[in-house]
Amino acid sequence: MGIGLATVIPLGWGQWVAGFTDQSTDNAYLRADITPVSTQIGGLVRAVLVRDFERVHAGDILAEIDPAEYLAKVSRVRAAVSAAEAAIRNVDSRVQLQHRIIAQAQASIQATAADRDRAAAEHGRQKTLARDGWSTGQRLEEALAAIRRFEAQMIEKQAEVDAERQQLDVLGTQREQASAELASRRAELQLAEIELGYTKVIAPTDGVVNVSSVRAGQYVSAGTRVISVVPLPNVYVVANYKETQLGKVRVGQAVTIAVDMFPGERLAGRIEQISPASGSEFALLPADNATGNFTKVAQRIAVKIALTDVPEGLRQQLRPGMSVVSTIHTDTPAKL
């Protein structure tokens, strides 16, 4: 009989346990989404503005880093932005001046064209007079030379206008370069202002802080943890059930929770999530069972349980890390 029990019980134990209506485990603890608050810049801590275990609200200043260096950086970049804006205004003024120069050159062309027309008319008169014998060939040649001279001047002045218009293209390129420089300086200013804002370490959420990791006068670098914010009273339960207990467990089923700190108290909960893998799969060194020596061990799967009905006075006393015993009622319908 003893040999039979020693053989049958291990073989059927898992199925027997999986058939229980209520699945319990004491491998369960209260948890909370604790937020570590770290610095995003380096500098000397000027002040820590919260006491240990003090309640804070989102947006409260937890600590301050000396802003002198970052204020100077903002002032320097603002001056660079002003210089870049002045460079653009300078280019715009040169463009306006260039338009006036072009207009003046075009007016000069028109004046030369008028002189050419007058010379052409004189050439016509001299040609008629010379045919009738009233003018000399010399005057006719002078009138023709005047026409050619004014036409040459018009070509020269038109080339000047083309050169001045080409200068407009150069100024346009310079303005594009100045605009790019201004955009770069403005981006630097925005970054400098962001870094200046980082001198105030802000609470990201409501909750209670733990013991501060820094003190006034201490030098911190970017990424130094200053403090952590525990979002009390928003806690939940993470229960690690054996794989043999989860055959009938579904998201939404009711759970009864007993907190070790409060004997006799029973809290109501509901399964919110079931881990996608066992804890060993997330270990730093996952188990490798492809070896000659193998011992089968029941794996544990984390189950996240939300507290649904907790008296307010008791809720305020719950703390992450407390040990609990959770009991899943697999006969209750899953409520999503």
Side-chain angles (χ1 to χ4, degrees), residues 17-295:
V17 170
F20 288 171
T21 298
D22 295 337
Q23 296 290 348
S24 298
T25 184
D26 59 358
N27 189 347
Y29 307 90
L30 290 178
R31 292 285 185 265
D33 296 328
I34 299 174
T35 304
V37 181
S38 302
T39 57
Q40 294 178 276
I41 57 173
L44 288 176
V45 178
R46 186 165 69 173
V48 178
L49 303 178
V50 291
R51 298 185 302 273
D52 297 342
F53 312 131
E54 180 180 350
R55 178 166 290 279
V56 297
H57 301 283
D60 288 351
I61 301 176
L62 305 179
E64 288 184 349
I65 296 174
D66 187 358
E69 176 184 349
Y70 299 96
L71 285 170
K73 184 182 295 186
V74 169
S75 298
R76 183 187 65 191
V77 179
R78 279 179 180 165
V81 169
S82 298
E85 291 173 343
I88 290 179
R89 290 194 297 270
N90 182 46
V91 173
D92 289 340
S93 298
R94 291 172 60 189
V95 168
Q96 293 177 3
L97 177 60
Q98 197 66 25
H99 280 298
R100 293 190 181 97
I101 293 174
I102 292 173
Q104 182 180 3
Q106 288 175 334
S108 179
I109 290 176
Q110 292 175 357
T112 305
D115 290 337
R116 181 203 60 185
D117 294 341
R118 182 173 55 80
E122 178 64 21
H123 178 266
R125 287 192 298 270
Q126 292 298 327
K127 188 174 183 181
T128 301
L129 292 172
R131 186 174 60 245
D132 296 339
W134 294 99
S135 179
T136 64
Q138 181 179 1
R139 289 188 175 182
L140 183 61
E141 291 174 357
E142 289 176 352
L144 181 60
I147 293 174
R148 292 175 178 174
R149 183 174 62 252
F150 288 131
E151 287 178 345
Q153 290 178 0
M154 288 180 61
I155 293 174
E156 180 183 2
K157 293 182 182 299
Q158 185 60 51
E160 291 177 0
V161 170
D162 293 340
E164 297 298 342
R165 284 177 175 167
Q166 185 66 31
Q167 186 64 24
L168 278 179
D169 295 336
V170 174
L171 291 174
T173 303
Q174 290 179 355
R175 194 184 194 286
E176 291 178 0
Q177 182 179 0
S179 297
E181 181 68 16
L182 176 59
S184 175
R185 296 303 183 186
R186 284 176 174 169
E188 289 180 8
L189 176 59
Q190 185 178 9
L191 180 60
E193 289 174 339
I194 290 173
E195 289 182 342
L196 178 60
Y198 288 158
T199 59
K200 299 182 186 300
V201 182
I202 306 297
T205 184
D206 295 350
V208 178
V209 298
N210 70 332
V211 178
S212 173
S213 302
V214 300
R215 293 292 181 265
Q218 178 180 345
Y219 181 86
V220 295
S221 56
T224 301
R225 180 177 295 187
V226 176
I227 207 165
S228 294
V229 180
V230 184
L232 296 178
N234 300 323
V235 297
Y236 53 87
V237 174
V238 174
N240 302 296
Y241 281 88
K242 292 182 180 180
E243 55 187 323
T244 54
Q245 296 179 273
L246 299 178
K248 296 181 179 180
V249 172
R250 301 291 183 272
V251 172
Q253 291 175 340
V255 183
T256 299
I257 300 159
V259 183
D260 290 3
M261 185 175 175
F262 307 105
E265 295 285 351
R266 294 294 181 269
L267 309 181
R270 179 177 57 83
I271 296 179
E272 196 170 72
Q273 291 175 323
I274 300 175
S275 174
S278 67
S280 62
E281 292 297 309
F282 299 112
L284 182 61
L285 299 175
D288 183 3
N289 293 325
T291 61
N293 298 321
F294 168 68
T295 301

